[in-house]
């Protein structure tokens, strides 16, 4: 079992959190959906977010990424309010990738174009990303015709194209078979080895144990448990 989180207690002694939630709450349609979330994410860690359907995991990730604004509390990036510059240092991958109606390579070139790299540097970076995603042989194919696993690897490569400091993943392997899941996990691990901090939602405790350093468990909008992934109960 992970450790119970007493209400409002400061969570996990993280000396210098890269990202933190303080008293974070969210409400919609007259319902409180997240309440009093306190959380610190240390640079370089791989934090797994677990919890039943509807617990508020996706909402929490969207709040941390600044896609929605909290009702109470705040998200802090290096101790300061999350702003546009901080958001550019983050990237997110969803369960269902949304790819452009272009080639595989075209999707990456487009993502890199936003960064204003020189032509040559962008071309080199594109080929590196293709190789890292194992997509070099498919580079000229229309992205939307790839298999689910290939599409997700492309979505990951695109997210990593902008050199994010934090990568958020919302159940990235939920619709993939074990082989495709394994390849996505390898990419996540490789990105982390290069210094990318990982915050990932998963339904699968086995995946959390394989991939995570630490886990939090959300239940009905509250952070219920927190601890190292080794402490995750087998039943989850
Ligand atoms: N924009 C919204 N308006 C109203 N309710 C929402 C909204 N977004 C999510 N919810 C509700 O909030 C709860 C948590 O949703 P979500 O974060 O997607 O859960 P999880 O990802 O843990 O399955 C669910 O009950 C969902 O129906
Ligand atoms: Mg969700």
């Amino acid at each position: 079992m992970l450790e119970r989180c007493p209400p409002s207690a400061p969570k996990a002694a993280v000396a210098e959190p890269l990202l933190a939630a303080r008293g974070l709450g969210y409400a919609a349609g007259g319902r409180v959906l997240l309440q009093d979330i306190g959380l610190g994410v240390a640079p370089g860690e791989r934090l797994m977010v677990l919890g039943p359907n509807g617990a508020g995991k996706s909402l929490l990730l969207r709040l941390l990424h600044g896609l929605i604004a909290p009702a109470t509390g705040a998200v802090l990036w290096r101790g300061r309010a999350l702003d546009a510059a901080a958001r550019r240092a983050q990237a997110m991958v969803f369960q269902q990738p949304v790819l452009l109606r272009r080639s595989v390579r075209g999707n990456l070139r487009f993502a890199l174009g936003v960064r204003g790299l020189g032509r040559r540097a962008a071309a080199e970076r594109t080929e590196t990303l293709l190789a890292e995603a194992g997509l070099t042989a498919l580079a000229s194919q229309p992205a939307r015709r790839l298999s689910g696993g290939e599409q997700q690897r492309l979505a990951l490569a695109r997210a990593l194209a902008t050199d994010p400091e934090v990568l958020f993943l919302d159940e990235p392997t939920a619709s993939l078979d074990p082989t495709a899941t394994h390849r996505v996990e390898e990419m996540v691990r490789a990105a982390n080895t290069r210094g990318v901090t990982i915050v990932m939602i998963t339904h699968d405790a086995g995946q959390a144990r394989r991939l995570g350093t630490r886990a939090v468990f959300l239940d009905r909008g509250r952070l219920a448990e927190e601890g190292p992934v080794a402490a995750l109960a087998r039943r989850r």
Side-chain angles (χ1 to χ4, degrees), residues 80-150:
R80 307 176 63 161
L82 192 66
D83 60 10
R87 290 199 47 208
R88 281 196 293 277
Q90 308 178 342
M92 188 150 168
V93 169
F94 299 90
Q95 181 179 337
Q96 298 295 340
V98 183
L99 299 170
L100 299 175
R101 217 178 284 279
R102 294 174 187 229
S103 69
V104 170
R105 184 180 276 115
N107 270 265
L108 294 175
R109 292 300 285 265
F110 186 84
L112 285 165
V114 182
R115 279 186 74 194
L117 283 182
R119 227 181 148 73
R120 179 123 171 237
E124 277 175 22
R125 180 94 177 108
T126 300
E127 299 314 306
T128 302
L129 288 163
L130 284 169
E132 284 168 358
L135 293 171
T136 303
L138 298 169
S140 306
Q141 299 286 312
R144 293 184 179 187
R145 257 187 246 149
L146 298 179
S147 72
E150 290 158 353

Side-chain angles (χ1 to χ4, degrees), residues 2 12 14 19-20 37-50 60-61 64 166-169 188 192 196-202 207-208 211-217 223 225-229 232:
L2 301 175
V14 177
L19 185 67
I37 307 280
L39 182 69
V41 181
E45 78 169 316
R46 300 184 301 276
L47 179 67
M48 301 288 119
V49 180
L50 294 122
L60 175 60
L61 229 62
L64 293 175
V166 168
L167 179 62
F168 296 107
L169 303 117
V188 171
N192 180 250
V196 182
T197 301
I198 304 295
V199 181
M200 174 165 152
I201 298 175
T202 176
Q207 179 170 62
L211 213 48
T213 48
R214 192 161 67 93
V216 293
F217 189 83
L223 209 55
E225 297 172 33
E226 186 281 322
V229 288
L232 279 171

Side-chain angles (χ1 to χ4, degrees), residues 26-29 31 33-34 51-60 62 170-171 201 203 218:
Y26 187 78
R31 278 173 66 209
L33 300 171
L34 285 174
N53 270 328
K57 303 179 299 296
S58 293
L59 283 175
L60 175 60
R62 290 165 68 199
D170 191 345
E171 301 196 48
I201 298 175
H203 248 90
L218 264 186

